[in-house]
Amino acid sequence: MQMTVMMMLVSPSFNFGKTLLIALVIGLIVAAIAVGSMASKLKTVSQRREANDYVTKGSLKMQVSRDNFLYKKTERRPRAQQNTPQNDAPRQNGPNGRPPAQR
Amino acid sequence: MADLIEYKCPCCGGKVEFNAGTQQMQCPYCDSEFTIESLKAADEALNGAGTEQMQWDTPDSTFSDEESAGLNVYSCQSCGGQIIADQTTAATHCPYCDNPIVMTGQFRGDLKPDFVIPFKLDKDAAVKALSAHFEGKRLLPKVFRDQHKIDEIKGVYVPVWLYDAHANGHITFKAHKTRRWSDAQFDYEEKSFYSAVRGGEMDFEKVPVDGSTKMDDELLGSIEPFDFKAAVPFQTAYLSGYLADKYDISAEDSTETANKRIKRSVEQAFQNTVKGYDAVEVDTSTVRLRNAKAKYALYPVWLLNLSWNNEKYTFAMNGQTGKFVGNLPLDKGAAAGWFVGIAAAVTAIGTLIGYLIS
């Protein structure tokens, strides 16, 4: 275990501080979710706001069902500039900058 | 004095109670069993009876006028002991001889319940369910398991109003879906917005609403659902051995609660038909309800009161299905320990994975 840690600290290609920070943030999030889930099992009393258990089976009859398109909104954010190697090919898009139509 | 019924065993004269296990009336002294039908005659006087004049005797004690105005006094037919109960108590035990007593005056005329769901589970089942409720709770203080004190376990028939309704709804939803892509310079996000219209109808049967201020609404709602198929026409014999209250919230006052629950269910049912979107929410909602006359029923509930560390905890079990609920205390030390332990473990593993990848 100590050897592993020493190797991590001296390795030139490994940024120990940055990796530790990212791992710590992930660890805190996972711990919060896990402990929150355990704590929620202690609370079993809550207000009943619906009556789904008392619906007569097969009584639901839909008479109107339509979806109407309203409008579309497109946003774009500039990508972070990266040092891309020579052999990376750019993503292929149409002349209007949009991706090929989905099939 | 109000009329009382005390069911006595014709064989030995002992107190006869409704047995949840056998669904019959049973004498615990000589083990004789009797069917509910054989005790129907005792209820004949309740049908078509007019309202009864209640003569109140208030004891010569320190009750104030306000306190005595809300109390009834009964005399136990077995030992003669005086039983003081509030206006809504309909079945109880004599505090002196523990004889089960049913106050028939609480069920005369319009007050007579239409249905009752008899207890299917007995007190032992409630105690076992309490122990099972503690299992698997990692953040429950260990001392709570060992040192809690059960103050009281009581089987109570809770008065409820049952509503049937035909619902006709017209609801519009706001929905959107998202598409993402990128090119060399930009990340794109396109959101398409829709209005989804749904209209239709659905029926509801026997939606229960708590008819007693003594029973916590949240607690009763948490142990639902009750299966109405097991309900039977009301007979006072079912109450023997248990506690019971008559309603003190009228059907008219309970209608709004029932309608709110029904409307919410209509919205959820219609929303489930709006598919293919990333997000859907109700925009406008019109739900018309046609309610049938509410029915009055008594539903079985086991209530357990515990005390620990100077705090009171109340648990409830559905006397028909066994569903058990009750909030438990949190061990903050254990929660902190788990949090630090999990965070440390994930951090160590994540750091190792990051090193191996590099």
Side-chain angles (χ1 to χ4, degrees):
Chain A
M1 176 74 180
Q2 285 172 336
M3 277 293 292
T4 309
V5 172
M6 287 298 293
M7 284 167 65
M8 281 187 198
L9 289 171
V10 301
S11 173
S13 63
F14 175 61
N15 188 333
F16 180 74
K18 184 179 168 189
T19 306
L20 181 67
L21 188 64
I22 294 170
L24 180 64
V25 169
I26 295 171
L28 290 172
I29 293 170
V30 169
I33 293 170
V35 172
S37 169
M38 285 191 247
S40 69
K41 288 184 183 168
L42 298 176
K43 297 274 176 267
T44 49
V45 178
S46 59
Q47 190 69 34
R48 194 100 176 181
R49 300 194 190 283
E50 37 67 31
N52 296 340
D53 292 311
Y54 306 100
V55 176
T56 306
K57 275 196 174 56
S59 66
L60 175 62
K61 291 180 185 63
M62 298 304 298
Q63 288 141 357
V64 175
S65 178
R66 59 175 186 271
D67 294 12
N68 305 316
F69 172 74
L70 297 176
Y71 63 93
K72 202 179 279 194
K73 193 166 76 172
T74 305
E75 289 176 355
R76 67 178 192 186
R77 281 176 292 279
R79 299 187 77 184
Q81 292 300 314
Q82 289 173 358
N83 296 326
T84 54
Q86 294 284 337
N87 58 356
D88 265 3
R91 193 185 291 261
Q92 293 296 324
N93 287 311
N96 58 1
R98 293 189 177 177
Q102 292 177 355
R103 292 172 208 270
Chain B
M1 296 282 185
D3 285 351
L4 300 181
I5 284 184
E6 296 173 18
Y7 290 96
K8 299 277 186 152
C9 175
C11 301
C12 70
K15 58 180 182 179
V16 175
E17 296 176 345
F18 179 74
N19 185 306
T22 62
Q23 294 289 292
Q24 306 265 31
M25 300 296 285
Q26 187 177 34
C27 174
Y29 300 101
C30 66
D31 282 339
S32 301
E33 283 187 0
F34 311 93
T35 62
I36 296 292
E37 284 70 28
S38 65
L39 299 167
K40 253 187 184 169
D43 287 0
E44 293 300 318
L46 297 178
N47 293 327
T51 52
E52 190 186 56
Q53 290 292 331
M54 300 286 284
Q55 305 273 326
W56 293 5
D57 282 334
T58 55
D60 296 328
S61 66
T62 57
F63 285 121
S64 66
D65 286 342
E66 289 80 15
E67 286 171 329
S68 60
L71 298 173
N72 292 349
V73 179
Y74 308 92
S75 180
C76 176
Q77 290 172 3
S78 293
C79 70
Q82 292 230 314
I83 303 152
I84 299 170
D86 64 32
Q87 279 189 315
T88 58
T89 300
T92 186
H93 289 89
C94 172
Y96 304 102
C97 66
D98 202 35
N99 219 42
I101 293 166
V102 177
M103 289 81 159
T104 58
Q106 305 288 39
F107 301 121
R108 288 190 184 277
D110 290 343
L111 298 176
K112 186 181 170 197
D114 299 299
F115 303 103
V116 60
I117 295 181
F119 272 88
K120 288 278 192 297
L121 299 164
D122 58 14
K123 187 186 273 194
D124 287 340
V127 174
K128 281 186 188 141
L130 178 67
S131 299
H133 189 60
F134 297 157
E135 297 301 318
K137 308 287 196 301
R138 291 200 178 98
L139 300 185
L140 179 67
K142 286 187 175 44
V143 292
F144 183 89
R145 265 180 247 255
D146 303 330
Q147 295 177 8
H148 70 266
K149 190 169 76 71
I150 298 178
D151 296 326
E152 190 180 30
I153 303 178
K154 51 187 182 182
V156 181
Y157 278 105
V158 176
V160 295
W161 294 106
L162 303 177
Y163 294 86
D164 294 345
H166 177 80
N168 210 300
H170 191 272
I171 304 173
T172 57
F173 299 91
K174 283 193 286 198
H176 73 263
K177 41 188 170 188
T178 307
R179 198 160 68 107
R180 294 185 180 87
W181 71 95
S182 301
D183 60 23
Q185 289 181 292
F186 297 100
D187 292 324
Y188 297 88
E189 184 180 272
E190 179 190 84
K191 273 191 182 170
S192 302
F193 294 87
Y194 295 80
S195 171
V197 182
R198 297 289 183 273
E201 55 189 21
M202 53 196 294
D203 295 322
F204 293 81
E205 284 177 334
K206 305 295 183 287
V207 180
V209 177
D210 185 5
S212 169
T213 53
K214 284 195 217 167
M215 182 69 194
D216 182 47
D217 291 352
E218 278 190 4
L219 210 53
L220 186 65
S222 298
I223 59 172
E224 285 184 29
F226 289 86
D227 183 6
F228 187 76
K229 291 192 200 63
V232 295
F234 174 75
Q235 272 186 256
T236 54
Y238 288 110
L239 307 188
S240 184
Y242 299 94
L243 304 177
D245 293 315
K246 74 167 186 175
Y247 70 86
D248 57 3
I249 303 173
S250 68
E252 290 72 32
D253 291 338
S254 302
T255 302
E256 192 186 331
T257 304
N259 288 348
K260 273 187 190 161
R261 288 181 64 176
I262 290 169
K263 280 181 186 172
R264 182 88 189 102
S265 285
V266 171
E267 288 172 0
Q268 285 181 353
F270 285 18
Q271 187 164 339
N272 288 341
T273 67
V274 182
K275 295 186 198 294
Y277 299 97
D278 296 323
V280 180
E281 60 179 24
V282 175
D283 186 16
T284 63
S285 170
T286 305
V287 179
R288 284 187 297 274
L289 299 177
R290 199 169 63 232
N291 294 111
K293 188 173 182 301
K295 299 288 186 189
Y296 176 31
L298 297 179
Y299 275 6
V301 178
W302 282 103
L303 290 174
L304 298 86
N305 290 316
L306 266 72
S307 54
W308 175 74
N309 208 22
N310 295 323
E311 297 263 356
K312 299 283 182 200
Y313 297 89
T314 301
F315 300 87
M317 185 174 90
N318 185 316
Q320 179 193 28
T321 64
K323 184 174 178 188
F324 196 98
V325 299
N327 291 336
L328 293 165
L330 172 74
D331 185 343
K332 288 183 182 155
W338 276 99
F339 185 88
V340 169
I342 293 172
V346 172
T347 302
I349 293 168
T351 306
L352 185 62
I353 291 173
Y355 168 68
L356 292 172
I357 289 171
S358 73

